[in-house]
Amino acid sequence: APPPDSPEWFEDWLSGFGSFIPAPEDIPEQTFIRTTLDLNWKVNPIQILGATGAARLAIDQQELAVAAVEHTTAENTVAAYFSIIRAAENVQAIRAQLANQRELLEITSMRYELGLATRLDTLQAAVTVANLRPQLAVAEARLRNEGSRLNAVMGRRPETPLRIVNEQPVEMDPVNEEVALALAQERPELAATDLFVDILERNRQAQVADLRPYLTLSGTYGYVGRTTDTIFDDGHDSWRATVALNVPIFDGMLTKGLVDETKARIRRTEAELTGQRREVQVEVLEILANLNLARELLAAVQLNLERSEEVLDESLLMMQMGKINYLDVLV
């Protein structure tokens, strides 16, 4: 029936052609089978640049971390290598001292039998020999431990035999303090921390992008039919493509909280980096001071060695002249 107050032309049309339009209750129920492929793409250039930049910096950071581990491993290896040399020389020195004291004990015992030495002199020589034996055992154990540590650093079994070449070139060239401090600031672990600050900045950029306008692209393509064998018939396909500009207005202050948190992490990391740089400066200054002190000590030891050799030569000459005995030379 025509709606109330409808115009006459509509009533005429309805009476002439309305019979072709079935009533809703006269339309039988129909089931359609639909298959579609939906594609959605969110285009946010700021977020994409921030994410890809952070990923690239993270790769560089990992390479620096690997370099830092390599430097640490090399440092530990060199330290273990020279620790073995130092331990071996300590063993040789104690063995030489023990042989010297044994010979001194034999001479003192002979002099005691001849009445030329007291029982106290013999006792002192015997006590010295007895004290050197545990020192030699401790030094030999330390040498074995240093060898095990070097094997472990090199990735070998601790009990694997080692043959160490005792070559210790001493560099006496001066080291410029300013150059050393500048090079120390380029250490891989410091560069990795610096890159981490840049990564946090990129993350902050990506987080801020959530409140910036962005585009979304979507597309749909599919087929529809009443039966499975008619779904892909000609004329049963359909498609739709849309482009939308999204303008975020309010997200419950979530993005602002995330951005503030990232800013706090950036400030904390920068403070930690400043502390690390200062610690490196202190370490370099300490190493330079120890280097200068070691060179002065080396010069003093070389001078003492020369004087001791002169005294030994004089003692041997005086013994040949009969002015002193062999015991004095031995001492």
Side-chain angles (χ1 to χ4, degrees):
D5 301 330
S6 59
E8 295 181 359
W9 65 267
F10 183 74
E11 295 180 4
D12 296 339
W13 175 84
L14 188 61
S15 62
F17 298 94
S19 59
F20 292 100
I21 303 177
E25 61 272 9
D26 296 335
I27 301 176
E29 294 182 357
Q30 301 182 42
T31 301
F32 290 90
I33 301 176
R34 183 185 302 273
T35 173
T36 60
L37 176 64
D38 298 329
L39 300 176
N40 297 278
W41 184 21
K42 178 181 177 180
V43 182
N44 194 330
I46 299 177
Q47 192 174 52
I48 293 175
L49 291 176
T52 55
R56 177 176 51 80
L57 293 175
I59 294 175
D60 296 338
Q61 184 191 26
Q62 290 301 317
E63 292 178 353
L64 290 173
V66 172
V69 174
E70 291 176 350
H71 290 182
T72 302
T73 303
E75 181 182 359
N76 294 337
T77 303
V78 173
Y81 177 84
F82 286 105
S83 295
I84 292 179
I85 294 178
R86 183 171 60 250
E89 291 182 346
N90 188 31
V91 170
Q92 294 177 0
I94 295 178
R95 286 176 179 174
Q97 187 178 4
L98 181 60
N100 187 306
Q101 292 298 324
R102 284 174 177 172
E103 186 177 2
L104 181 62
L105 175 60
E106 293 176 358
I107 295 177
T108 304
S109 299
M110 294 175 57
R111 290 173 58 86
Y112 173 74
E113 294 176 358
L114 296 175
L116 301 177
T118 64
R119 183 178 181 82
L120 181 59
D121 296 334
T122 306
L123 182 60
Q124 289 178 346
V127 169
T128 302
V129 172
N131 291 334
L132 287 176
R133 288 173 180 171
Q135 294 182 18
L136 178 60
V138 171
E140 291 175 346
R142 184 179 294 109
L143 176 60
R144 290 191 296 270
N145 293 337
E146 294 296 340
S148 300
R149 187 163 69 94
L150 179 58
N151 278 326
V153 171
M154 294 188 302
R156 307 171 64 192
R157 295 182 60 85
E159 67 275 9
T160 304
L162 286 171
R163 178 175 295 178
I164 302 299
V165 179
N166 188 0
E167 295 180 357
Q168 304 182 62
V170 179
E171 299 180 3
M172 302 301 295
D173 297 334
V175 179
N176 188 286
E177 180 177 316
E178 295 182 357
V179 174
L181 290 174
L183 292 176
Q185 298 302 321
E186 300 177 4
R187 288 169 55 168
E189 58 269 25
L190 296 180
T193 305
D194 196 8
L195 277 182
F196 184 63
V197 175
D198 295 338
I199 292 175
L200 292 177
E201 287 286 355
R202 298 286 185 172
N203 290 336
R204 184 188 63 81
Q205 177 183 348
Q207 291 170 347
V208 172
D210 289 336
L211 287 179
R212 298 291 187 269
Y214 61 91
L215 296 175
T216 54
L217 307 178
S218 61
T220 301
Y221 184 81
Y223 292 86
V224 61
R226 297 186 59 183
T227 60
T228 56
D229 57 344
T230 61
I231 293 179
F232 300 103
D233 291 349
D234 294 340
H236 287 200
D237 59 330
S238 62
W239 62 272
R240 181 180 60 185
T242 59
V243 179
L245 175 63
N246 300 268
V247 182
I249 298 177
F250 182 71
D251 65 347
M253 308 298 290
L254 175 62
T255 301
K256 182 179 184 303
L258 294 176
V259 172
D260 292 341
E261 181 181 358
T262 304
K263 289 181 179 179
R265 293 183 63 188
I266 291 174
R267 291 193 297 269
R268 182 183 66 183
T269 306
E270 289 176 345
E272 293 176 354
L273 179 59
T274 301
Q276 292 176 1
R277 293 188 183 280
R278 292 176 179 174
E279 291 178 359
V280 167
Q281 291 178 348
V282 173
E283 182 180 357
V284 170
L285 294 176
E286 181 180 358
I287 291 176
L288 289 177
N290 292 337
L291 177 61
N292 295 331
L293 180 61
R295 289 174 174 176
E296 294 177 359
L297 181 61
L298 177 61
V301 171
Q302 289 176 343
L303 180 61
N304 291 333
L305 179 61
E306 294 175 358
R307 296 294 182 267
S308 300
E309 290 175 347
E310 293 178 359
V311 172
L312 177 60
D313 294 338
E314 293 177 359
S315 299
L316 291 174
L317 182 60
M318 294 179 66
M319 184 184 67
Q320 294 176 359
M321 297 174 61
K323 294 185 178 181
I324 60 176
N325 54 34
Y326 177 72
L327 182 60
D328 296 327
V329 177
L330 187 63
V331 174

